[in-house]
């Protein structure tokens, strides 16, 4: 009766920490201020906000956009690692499984960087060591030169079984990483779903959440392919991530067989994200970027609702992580946009607020 | 009669003990999560200590109710 159940997880402690962190995220009006700043002003603004520690650590070695990029990614990985350290029991298992996606992100960044011939320093700026692969592991991967070596080492480090025919397929193509990246993306969700053992209400809820996230990823993939003129089950199904809640293989095949983007509307009318994309699908010119942005906003809203409905669960933690990730991508969009001299309205269109 | 009186006093004492004990147990259970949350909030923002402390001791009032019942049982009954 009095034994403390450590397997259950310390939801009260971790959720309060996460909620306190969420209250410190950048608000909409602050983004509006940042849009009017120059790059040095954005750097200074970040030095005075939650990125203070990282900005002062890196200011001696870097400047400009490199500093903003590296500091924001470093801050994000530190924050995520601190949340993981604070959690216990099944909460720890769920958070660590969710953070594994950053391993895939890092490997993809290293592969892309290496295939474009970038130096180690430039690739390192885009890495987020929030998953189980820490900086030492990533440095080792960075020190390797060929894609084949990186994949072999990564599969050993992260216990990933990368089929040898996939590497052979990559070697056979003209250097396109698409086949490997698609495999890694599918693997990311397959491993996440495998890591969740649905034996309690919180884990069942988390599984449901992840499966709905897969739906959004698959819908976005189908729409992107349609915009490129790629339709039909045979061409599309290889990119579909298995395990979706509303978009199973049969529904995905049905959606893939529809030829125009606008005709998708009736097919998805029963799905919970329909209202978010309906006005965009009904518009005369369908913009894939706008659909992507709407899906991202929908995901944030869903995470917020999920966290309000389940206050003492993994939901607020996931909600915070999504919001933090969006904050970093918004900062980078503003910084890159300002540096390239883009119009304020264009940059604002790229933000997810 | 003497025996009956002893049993009565004993039952009153047991009742008083249960009142304080269960009230303490209840408030302890309530404070478990509040305490964890309070420490989490203070870790992120030390200025919340005062407010967190107030929330933390609120369930202690339940013990006071238990104590009042115990005192009434012992001294009034």
């Amino acid at each position: 009766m009095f034994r403390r159940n450590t397997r259950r997880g310390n939801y009260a402690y971790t959720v309060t920490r996460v909620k306190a962190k969420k209250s410190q995220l950048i608000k909409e009006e602050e983004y509006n201020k940042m849009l009017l700043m120059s790059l040095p002003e954005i750097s200074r603004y970040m030095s005075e906000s939650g990125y203070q520690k990282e900005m002062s650590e890196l200011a001696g070695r870097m400047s400009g956009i490199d500093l903003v990029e590296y500091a924001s990614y470093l801050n994000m990985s530190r924050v995520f690692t601190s949340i993981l350290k604070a959690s216990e029991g099944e909460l720890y298992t769920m958070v660590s499984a969710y953070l594994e996606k950053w391993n895939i992100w890092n490997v993809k960044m290293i592969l892309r960087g290496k295939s474009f011939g970038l130096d180690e320093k430039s690739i390192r700026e885009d890495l987020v060591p929030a998953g189980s692969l820490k900086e030492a592991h990533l440095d080792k991967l960075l020190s390797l030169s060929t894609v084949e070596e990186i994949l072999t080492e990564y599969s050993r480090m992260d216990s990933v079984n990368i089929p040898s025919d996939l590497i052979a397929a990559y070697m056979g193509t003209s250097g396109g990483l698409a086949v490997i990246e698609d495999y890694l993306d599918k693997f990311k969700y397959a491993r996440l779903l495998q890591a969740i053992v649905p034996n309690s209400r919180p884990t069942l809820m988390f599984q449901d959440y992840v499966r709905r996230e897969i739906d959004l990823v698959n819908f976005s993939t189908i729409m992107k392919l349609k915009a490129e003129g790629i339709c039909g089950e045979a061409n599309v199904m290889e990119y579909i991530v298995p395990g979706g809640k509303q978009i199973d293989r049969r529904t995905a095949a049905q959606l893939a067989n529809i030829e125009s983007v606008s005709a998708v509307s009736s097919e998805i009318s029963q799905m919970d994200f329909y209202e978010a994309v309906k006005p965009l699908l009904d518009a005369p010119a369908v913009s894939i970027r706008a659909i992507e942005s709407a899906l991202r906003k929908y995901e944030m809203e869903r995470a917020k609702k999920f966290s309000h409905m389940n206050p003492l669960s993994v939901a607020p933690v996931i909600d915070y992580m999504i919001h933090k990730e969006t904050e970093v991508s918004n900062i980078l969009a503003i910084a890159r946009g300002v540096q390239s001299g883009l119009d304020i309205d264009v940059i604002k269109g790229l933000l997810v607020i | 009669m003497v025996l009956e009186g002893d049993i009565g006093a004993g039952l009153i004492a047991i009742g008083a003990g249960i009142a304080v004990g269960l009230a303490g147990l209840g408030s302890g259970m309530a404070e478990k999560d509040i305490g964890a949350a309070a420490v989490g909030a203070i870790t992120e923002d030390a200025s919340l200590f005062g407010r967190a402390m107030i929330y933390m001791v609120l369930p202690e009032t339940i013990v006071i109710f238990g104590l009042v019942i115990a005192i009434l049982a012992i001294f009034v009954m």
Side-chain angles (χ1 to χ4, degrees):
Chain A
M1 184 184 172
F2 298 105
R3 199 179 60 202
R4 191 161 164 252
N5 191 348
T6 48
R7 203 180 64 81
R8 195 182 156 258
N10 54 345
Y11 292 102
Y13 175 72
T14 314
V15 166
T16 321
R17 282 196 68 174
V18 157
K19 288 201 168 172
K21 283 182 197 291
K22 198 181 169 193
S23 68
Q24 288 160 6
L25 290 177
I26 297 177
K27 314 273 181 311
E28 188 178 350
E29 57 272 17
E30 290 170 277
Y31 284 128
N32 290 332
K33 271 190 233 166
M34 282 174 84
L35 281 167
L36 301 170
M37 293 177 187
S38 65
L39 196 56
E41 282 172 333
I42 292 173
S43 302
R44 203 179 61 222
Y45 178 80
M46 284 176 70
S47 309
E48 289 160 4
S49 62
Y51 298 82
Q52 193 178 14
K53 196 176 164 212
E54 288 74 22
M55 290 296 277
S56 47
E57 258 177 47
L58 300 166
R61 283 187 282 150
M62 292 173 176
S63 62
I65 188 82
D66 291 346
L67 175 64
V68 174
E69 279 187 357
Y70 198 18
S72 36
Y73 280 136
L74 186 64
N75 175 276
M76 183 161 74
S77 64
R78 281 181 180 170
V79 169
F80 289 172
T81 311
S82 81
I83 295 172
L84 183 65
K85 276 184 187 164
S87 42
E88 288 175 2
E90 68 178 11
L91 179 61
Y92 179 90
T93 315
M94 287 189 275
V95 174
S96 63
Y98 194 77
L99 285 176
E100 287 298 290
K101 72 173 186 175
W102 292 106
N103 285 355
I104 306 286
W105 161 282
N106 291 333
V107 172
K108 276 163 75 175
M109 285 298 147
I110 294 174
L111 289 175
R112 280 183 204 172
K114 290 283 177 188
S115 63
F116 284 108
L118 293 180
D119 60 294
E120 283 184 25
K121 188 175 157 281
S122 313
I123 303 172
R124 196 177 280 116
E125 280 165 20
D126 289 329
L127 301 183
V128 183
S132 60
L133 296 188
K134 294 298 167 203
E135 280 172 16
H137 297 109
L138 297 174
D139 281 342
K140 192 164 184 201
L141 290 178
L142 276 170
S143 67
L144 302 168
S145 49
T146 66
V147 168
E148 200 179 355
E149 282 172 350
I150 295 168
L151 286 175
T152 314
E153 184 61 29
Y154 168 64
S155 57
R156 198 185 58 75
M157 276 177 185
D158 205 16
S159 314
V160 185
N161 181 25
I162 298 173
S164 51
D165 57 334
L166 203 73
I167 301 174
Y170 164 75
M171 303 301 270
T173 60
S174 55
L177 283 167
V179 275
I180 295 169
E181 289 198 6
D182 290 338
Y183 176 80
L184 289 174
D185 281 334
K186 277 189 200 166
F187 173 75
K188 174 174 79 179
Y189 284 109
R191 182 164 65 176
L192 180 54
L193 284 177
Q194 206 181 7
I196 309 166
V197 184
N199 55 4
S200 62
R201 196 174 164 269
T203 45
L204 270 167
M205 226 169 52
F206 184 50
Q207 190 191 49
D208 184 69
Y209 180 85
V210 173
R211 289 183 65 196
R212 284 175 195 274
E213 190 179 307
I214 295 175
D215 285 338
L216 297 183
V217 172
N218 284 338
F219 180 68
S220 172
T221 311
I222 293 171
M223 295 309 283
K224 275 187 218 162
L225 290 171
K226 264 191 215 313
E228 293 292 321
I230 303 168
C231 289
E233 208 176 321
N235 302 322
V236 175
M237 289 313 281
E238 59 179 302
Y239 302 109
I240 297 298
V241 180
K245 175 104 180 163
Q246 299 169 92
I247 305 181
D248 53 10
R249 280 197 75 80
R250 197 174 59 84
T251 321
Q254 275 171 3
L255 285 171
N257 287 329
I258 300 171
E259 288 193 358
S260 73
V261 173
S262 47
V264 171
S265 194
S266 59
E267 222 24 73
I268 60 157
S269 59
Q270 297 301 314
M271 292 177 193
D272 57 6
F273 57 86
Y274 174 60
E275 287 301 321
V277 290
K278 184 177 179 278
L280 300 164
L281 291 173
D282 294 343
V286 180
S287 154
I288 293 301
R289 198 182 55 71
I291 291 178
E292 284 252 291
S293 177
L295 287 176
R296 182 82 189 155
K297 272 184 199 161
Y298 170 77
E299 196 187 353
M300 280 170 69
E301 279 302 312
R302 192 172 66 97
K304 204 162 126 187
K305 199 170 141 195
F306 181 54
S307 104
H308 285 158
M309 283 166 69
N310 307 286
L312 280 183
S313 70
V314 71
V317 183
I318 302 295
D319 174 43
Y320 171 73
M321 285 182 177
I322 291 174
H323 277 80
K324 179 74 187 173
E325 223 181 299
T326 311
E327 181 189 86
V328 168
S329 68
N330 283 345
I331 290 174
L332 295 182
I334 295 175
R336 286 175 190 152
V338 167
Q339 198 204 21
S340 342
L342 285 179
D343 191 62
I344 289 179
D345 290 330
V346 178
I347 307 174
K348 211 169 178 180
L350 296 169
L351 304 182
V352 181
I353 303 171
Chain B
M1 279 302 284
V2 176
L3 193 67
E4 274 176 23
D6 284 348
I7 290 173
L11 288 175
I12 286 172
I14 290 170
I18 289 174
V20 176
L22 288 183
L25 203 65
S27 64
M29 284 162 78
E31 276 176 79
K32 179 189 76 175
D33 278 347
I34 300 173
V39 173
I42 296 164
T43 312
E44 292 298 325
D45 184 359
S47 69
L48 292 173
F49 179 78
R51 257 189 286 173
M53 191 73 181
I54 292 170
Y55 287 123
M56 175 79 213
V57 298
L58 274 183
E60 293 285 342
T61 50
I62 300 168
V63 188
I64 298 171
F65 296 144
L67 190 70
V68 169
I69 299 297
I71 290 168
L72 284 176
I74 292 169
F75 296 107
V76 179
M77 285 179 80

